[in-house]
Amino acid sequence: MTILVTRPEPAASELVARLRTQGKLAWSLPLIEFTPGRDVDDLPQQLSNLQPDDLVFLLSQQVVTFAHPALQRQGFAWPTQLDYYAIGRSTALALHTVSNLKVDYPHARETSEELVRLNRLQKVSGKRALILRGSPGRELLADTLTERGVDVRYCECYQRCEKYYDGAVEGRRWRDRGITTLVVTSGEMLQQLFGLFPPIDRREWLLHCRLLVVSERLATLAASMGWQDIEVADGADNDALLRALR
C-alpha cells in the first residue's frame, strides 16, 4: 500500500509522518491552503451581539486557527455564557485547548447531519446562532436551525484557496511512485483531484486506486465519478484515518 494524502497542511504532513513510523510508504499532496477570512476581524463584535445561551458553531479546526488570534489581537476572550458546538472531536478539542470552554460535538461522525441530531439542538426556537466557518460551503446546518426557529448569522473566519499543480507532471510523479491509495477529506478536494490529471492518468491509474474518504456523502460522489474501491473512515481526524489505513 502506497498512500497519497491530499488534505491541507499541517494535517497532511502529520499523517504522512505517522504512517511512515508504521513502515508505510506515504506522501502528501495538499490540494488547498488557508488564508484569513473576510469577517474574522469582526468576530469580537459578532460574539458580543449574542445573548447568554445563544449558540456558536465551529465547522473546522481552521476556524480556531484563525479566530483565536483575531480575538487575542483585540484583547477579547471567548464569552463564557454562550453554548459552543463543534463539527467533531478535533475541532472541539482545538477550541477547548485555547479557551477551556465546554464544547459539545457529535460522537458518531464529523458531519452536519450528525451535528443537528444532538439532543441539545432539538428545541432552540428563539435563540440566535453564529456559524464560524470557511468560505461558503454546505447550508444544511443553517437551514435546519432556521427551520427550528433560530436566527442564524455567519462569520467567515478563513478562506480555502486551491493550490496550483501541473497535472501532467504530478501524474507521472505519483504513478512512478506506485500510489495505490488516496486519502481525500472533502468533496471540493475530490473534484479537484479528479480534474487535476490528464484523462489518460485518470483512466489508467487514478480511478483504479483505493479511495479513503470521511463520509457516505463523499463515497457516493466518488462512485459517481468512477471510483469503485471506496472506504469510509469513522471520522475525519488523523486518528480515524490511521485506523482505516491499517
Side-chain angles (χ1 to χ4, degrees), residues 121-135:
L121 293 177
Q122 301 312 304
K123 294 183 178 178
V124 285
S125 180
K127 292 182 182 288
R128 285 189 283 188
L130 181 61
I131 297 178
L132 312 186
R133 63 176 186 176
S135 37

Side-chain angles (χ1 to χ4, degrees), residues 56-122:
V56 178
F57 294 87
L58 296 91
L59 299 191
S60 73
Q61 292 180 69
Q62 281 71 42
V63 163
V64 183
T65 300
F66 287 95
H68 186 65
L71 296 184
Q72 287 183 309
R73 284 194 298 272
Q74 299 186 44
F76 193 90
W78 294 93
T80 58
Q81 74 277 17
L82 303 174
D83 289 344
Y84 291 90
Y85 297 86
I87 192 72
R89 179 180 177 276
S90 300
T91 304
L93 185 60
L95 179 59
H96 177 75
T97 300
V98 299
S99 68
N100 209 33
L101 291 165
K102 178 181 182 298
V103 188
D104 206 352
Y105 64 95
H107 291 257
R109 288 191 180 279
E110 296 187 19
T111 65
S112 297
E113 286 85 353
E114 293 297 331
L115 183 56
V116 297
R117 290 192 185 110
L118 290 175
N119 285 337
R120 292 176 63 202
L121 293 177
Q122 301 312 304

Side-chain angles (χ1 to χ4, degrees), residues 4 20 26 39 51 55 69 87 90 98 123 129 138 149 160 169 173 177-178 183 191 193 196 200 206 211 213 226 244:
L4 187 64
R20 288 177 175 175
D39 303 329
Q51 300 296 316
L55 318 172
I87 192 72
S90 300
V98 299
K123 294 183 178 178
R138 299 179 68 209
R160 291 182 287 269
V169 171
R173 183 204 311 273
R177 287 184 175 173
V183 178
Q191 290 168 324
L193 184 68
L196 174 61
I200 189 168
L206 189 72
L211 183 66
V213 296

Side-chain angles (χ1 to χ4, degrees), residues 3-22:
I3 305 159
L4 187 64
V5 178
T6 67
R7 71 182 323 182
E9 296 293 7
S13 292
E14 185 213 9
L15 180 56
V16 165
R18 292 173 70 182
L19 287 165
R20 288 177 175 175
T21 63
Q22 296 178 1

